[in-house]
Amino acid sequence: MKPQGDLKQGQAAADARHLRATPSGGGAGVMTASSAAAVEQAVREAGRARARVLESMTTSEIIEIIAAAATAWTQPHFTPRLRLLPLLARDLQLPRALLERGLDAIFGVVSESALHDFVRSEVEHPDALEHTVDLGSGRGGRLLGPRVVFHSLAGNVPGLSIPPIVAALLARSICVVRDSKRQPWLTAAFVATLAEFSREIAAMVVPACWRAGDMGMEKMIFELAHRIELSGSDSTMRTIVSRHPRRPIVTRGTRVSVGVIPRESDTDQWQEGFAADIVQYEGLGCLTPHVIFVEGPEKRAARLARLLGIQLSRYEALYPRMPRELALETRRRAFLEACEIVALREGGGQLLRGRGDGWVVHYRPLAPAAPGPGLRCVVVASVTGRSELVARLQHLQVPLAGVGLGLERSHRTYDDLASTFEGLGATWICAPGQLQRPPVAWAQDGHRRLAELLEWRTVEENV
Amino acid sequence: MLRDQVERCIDDCIARGPGAAAAPDAGQDGEFDALALAVFAEQFERVPLYRRLCELRGALPAGIEHWSQIPAAPADLFKEDLQTGTEPGARTFLSSGTTQGPARRSLHRVSPRSYELYRRCSLAQFRAMVLPDSPGPMSTLLLGPSPATHESSSLGHMYQFVIDAFAHQEPQGSPASPASCFGAGGDLDIDGAVEWLRASSAASRPVLILALTSTITAVFAALRKRGLELRLPADSRLVDTGGSKGGRTLSRNGILKAAWRFLHIPAYLCVAEYGMTELLSQFYDDALASRWSGGLGKRAKVGPRWSRSLVVDPATLTPVAAGQRGILRHFDLANFESIAAVQTLDLGVAAGRGFEVLGRAAGADTRGCSELMSSIAGAIPGSKPAGEQS
């Protein structure tokens, strides 16, 4: 099955449809299910759409549809995007310009070539996604995802639903996505765009939203879904998991990221990238660097701290930090007070802060690898060598997610260093400035999004 | 001398009788403001760590025009060596256990002169807020620390001042007064407390219970378990401190309901105290004081006239608009010897003549005297050992 029209026509159609949509009605054109009956009804319809997709759609066609919809969302004048931005800015309390960059990052990585690479890297027999293959001994099967995959997502950063949706659609699974009540818009809006290219594909995604702790909805979805994936705070997930002790549940909890500038790299070329990573989403996602380690003499770390401060000041002028809720701001204040006290007690460091404490860079040579509050606060530490760096990272109080590595990719030590960080648990290693742009294939928390969905199944038993 | 001036001001406030700290814009700030600025300038010169903190923030005495602009030291700065109260005979007050462990406790050293000021301040504020009706000597039950059990607890010393000044002294009577059911190890003698209360309910002298919120919660749990609903004599009252700490204590409403049900103490005779090792003055619910003076406003924590409190925005450290929540900052002239302006991470909102405490900020270490209680975990349904965060 071909997408309905080329991208240009599709975007025009999408524009027209969204012009009629009312975002306050639960997404731009696609309703968000908020009751058990609505979710069950949507999943029944998704089942019918899935049967047609299983029968007639190739992986390339699915990729083409997803990439076309994602590309539409990277266009600055795409009407749904223009309509959604003020809502997201309001709900997430993020500067609009940073959200624009965020949307570019979220959808920019969903290109056709990236999705083909994704399939190639995670699926041993891509043909088996499309049709039954001979498994020997007279048996045949297809690589398919479970019939219904359920994702419950955190609300700290936007766009968390896009990679799961992509993986589920490639696996031909129905994807029920429960967004945070704080920002239920983007998933439904993206699904509406998908619908402009393929109603069947769009129907396989069920945006849903209900209040946390709704036991009725939780019971319904745990009965309905064949795979459960949760992201959010560790304590919330522990509570949910404890209610379903016999159910396998994939959890993605609290993680932090760090920056590293190794000895063999120049200090002066990474501050801009680190500042961009720090400012994006106000440091509330797991890919924000909380501590940046600089190998070598202390003066290198001190210099990076100063350069970073200059760069953060520029960002502050362009995108002033917006006040957050009391709990987050109080946590930030506690961090700042602790930095002040450490600076008074230890000396030897520098506490750099922007106007009105808009940003904070605490250069503290011996700083441990500890998560900060985000919100444009970062610690710069000095390490003498590789073994000290590893030792400090081993004592990180929260599992590692990403490492912004300030070293040219072509440098002969890059791969060794990357292996070291992978050994410490890092799942996303990239240049500073790219931390907040993980690829769709990012194995967050070590879970390969597509490969883990797939099993050899017969269509009959799976439909 | 400035110190004499400060003490004169406090003593004048005490002599004027009950009264609350003025709100920042109440137009009564002239004398306080001048004194506060002078105290700040003096502390800036004398307390090296405070001076460096002010310099770090770019806040120098010459640029400060009103007491509300005085840089407030984080309460955690008291965990460092402030080099104050170093005179011979000085006492050291330590905050109780926190989630950061005993090594990271706030330390407030007070000279003999400041200790005496602490005594006068404590008694005056207690009299104003807990005993406005002058009920006379009361049978007193202590369910918290004392200098004998917790030498370094400022709260323990405050309780002792109160007992010495206001308790009916009958150590051999039944019930004995003052009586204590709280041990040095943080262990609460629940059976002893219940028996004491049972005996007191048969007597006629009003009772004063000085408790931690956690210990009185445990006593209520014991009374419930035993099916006892006592009627303490009229005018009996409960003073608790420490506030709600996760699952180990009842909420404020829970305390008020339980006090009526199990002890027959009406809500207006239940007074919650809010204090901290870092400050030599205390804040109390004004329910009783208001009622006595004919007011029926919403319950709020009120400090003495020689203190000021602000609710500030944690992002900017500027005062929030009326009705907005923020973090509490206090300025206490009685802290002449250390640092008068103290920034807490306690969440609060302005209310009535003072403020309401909403709890402790997430991410800040749990602290407070309810952490003293150690051995009654399990007495309260869902409770956890002291030191554990709920």
Side-chain angles (χ1 to χ4, degrees), chain A residues 39-55 147-148 172-176 200 203-206 462-463:
Chain A
V39 171
E40 284 165 344
Q41 169 68 16
V43 168
R44 273 195 297 277
E45 287 170 15
R48 289 192 281 275
R50 179 171 179 257
R52 291 193 289 275
V53 169
L54 280 169
E55 191 185 314
R147 184 170 180 274
V148 179
R172 279 73 167 172
S173 291
I174 296 164
C175 187
V176 181
E200 277 76 23
M204 286 173 62
V205 185
V206 178
N462 191 239
V463 170

Side-chain angles (χ1 to χ4, degrees), chain B residues 124-280:
Chain B
Q125 183 69 349
F126 192 89
R127 186 184 289 114
M129 305 305 291
V130 181
L131 308 169
D133 51 339
S134 306
M138 304 177 82
S139 287
T140 304
L141 174 63
L142 179 61
L143 301 176
S146 69
T149 62
H150 297 78
E151 169 59 27
S152 60
S153 163
S154 57
L155 178 68
H157 285 264
M158 189 197 88
Y159 282 154
Q160 194 61 51
F161 301 150
V162 168
I163 286 168
D164 291 346
F166 305 119
H168 171 64
Q169 303 287 334
E170 194 171 346
Q172 307 304 323
S174 178
S177 175
S180 172
C181 294
F182 196 73
D187 47 309
L188 176 65
D189 174 9
I190 295 184
D191 292 339
V194 169
E195 279 317 304
W196 191 94
L197 290 166
R198 197 207 291 264
S200 293
S201 64
S204 57
R205 188 178 296 279
V207 165
L208 171 64
I209 303 170
L210 301 170
L212 308 178
T213 312
S214 50
T215 56
I216 194 64
T217 297
V219 169
F220 287 145
L223 289 168
R224 181 185 293 115
K225 199 171 169 186
R226 293 169 204 203
L228 283 175
E229 293 186 3
L230 306 173
R231 290 179 72 93
L232 292 180
D235 288 338
S236 293
R237 57 205 70 191
L238 165 67
V239 179
D240 72 297
T241 187
S244 297
K245 297 282 162 64
R248 294 196 293 128
T249 55
L250 287 169
S251 66
R252 181 91 316 244
N253 276 344
I255 292 283
L256 300 182
K257 282 180 188 167
W260 176 248
R261 178 176 165 194
F262 296 112
L263 300 175
H264 214 65
I265 298 178
Y268 69 90
L269 288 171
C270 296
V271 180
E273 189 250 9
Y274 165 82
M276 48 203 291
T277 303
E278 295 83 352
L279 296 178
L280 294 185

Side-chain angles (χ1 to χ4, degrees), chain A residues 87-312:
Chain A
L87 289 176
L88 281 177
R90 181 196 67 191
D91 292 352
L92 292 168
Q93 295 164 278
L94 291 172
R96 183 180 163 132
L98 289 182
L99 269 172
E100 297 233 29
R101 282 172 38 156
L103 291 181
D104 290 345
I106 292 161
F107 293 106
V109 296
V110 190
S111 65
E112 278 195 51
S113 61
L115 296 184
H116 280 293
D117 289 345
F118 182 33
V119 171
R120 273 194 295 274
S121 67
E122 299 216 359
V123 188
E124 206 173 335
H125 302 283
D127 288 354
L129 290 170
E130 297 178 350
H131 50 78
T132 303
V133 297
D134 182 12
L135 298 176
S137 311
R139 290 186 305 118
R142 271 177 82 167
L143 273 178
L144 294 174
R147 184 170 180 274
V148 179
V149 180
F150 169 64
H151 285 271
S152 179
L153 301 171
N156 50 340
V157 297
L160 291 176
S161 63
I162 304 306
I165 289 173
V166 170
L169 290 176
L170 290 172
R172 279 73 167 172
S173 291
I174 296 164
C175 187
V176 181
V177 182
R178 182 198 162 220
D179 273 310
S180 159
K181 280 214 100 134
R182 199 166 148 206
Q183 46 141 336
W185 313 109
L186 186 56
T187 303
F190 178 63
V191 175
T193 309
L194 277 176
E196 300 304 326
F197 297 93
S198 164
R199 287 193 182 82
E200 277 76 23
I201 287 291
M204 286 173 62
V205 185
V206 178
C209 190
W210 60 80
R211 67 173 175 79
D214 186 329
M215 292 301 138
M217 292 298 280
E218 186 176 304
K219 183 169 182 290
M220 177 275 300
I221 200 66
F222 271 68
E223 284 171 2
L224 196 65
H226 304 90
R227 181 180 169 93
I228 307 280
E229 301 198 17
L230 310 176
S231 65
S233 76
D234 291 329
S235 58
T236 305
M237 288 192 300
R238 265 197 304 274
T239 308
I240 297 173
V241 169
S242 69
R243 285 200 289 264
H244 308 275
R246 283 190 293 277
R247 191 72 197 265
I249 298 173
V250 176
T251 57
R252 295 185 174 88
T254 307
R255 300 288 180 272
V256 296
S257 295
V258 299
V260 173
I261 298 182
R263 183 187 291 273
E264 48 271 50
S265 179
D266 179 17
T267 320
D268 288 11
Q269 67 185 98
W270 307 108
Q271 64 274 9
E272 192 172 342
F274 278 129
D277 287 333
I278 290 164
V279 167
Q280 191 66 42
Y281 308 135
E282 294 296 3
L284 297 178
C286 62
L287 292 174
T288 296
H290 287 247
V291 186
I292 300 173
F293 294 98
V294 183
E295 258 186 3
E298 287 187 5
K299 62 182 181 187
R300 272 171 43 96
R303 179 167 175 77
L304 176 78
R306 284 195 299 277
L307 294 172
L308 197 52
I310 292 167
Q311 203 59 39
L312 287 169

Side-chain angles (χ1 to χ4, degrees), chain A residues 329-330 333 337 340 344-345, chain B residues 52 57 80 104 314-315 361:
Chain A
E329 290 293 352
T330 306
R333 177 56 55 188
E337 286 185 350
E340 286 180 332
L344 294 174
R345 186 204 306 144
Chain B
R52 281 162 53 204
R57 294 182 181 178
E80 309 301 318
R104 299 299 297 158

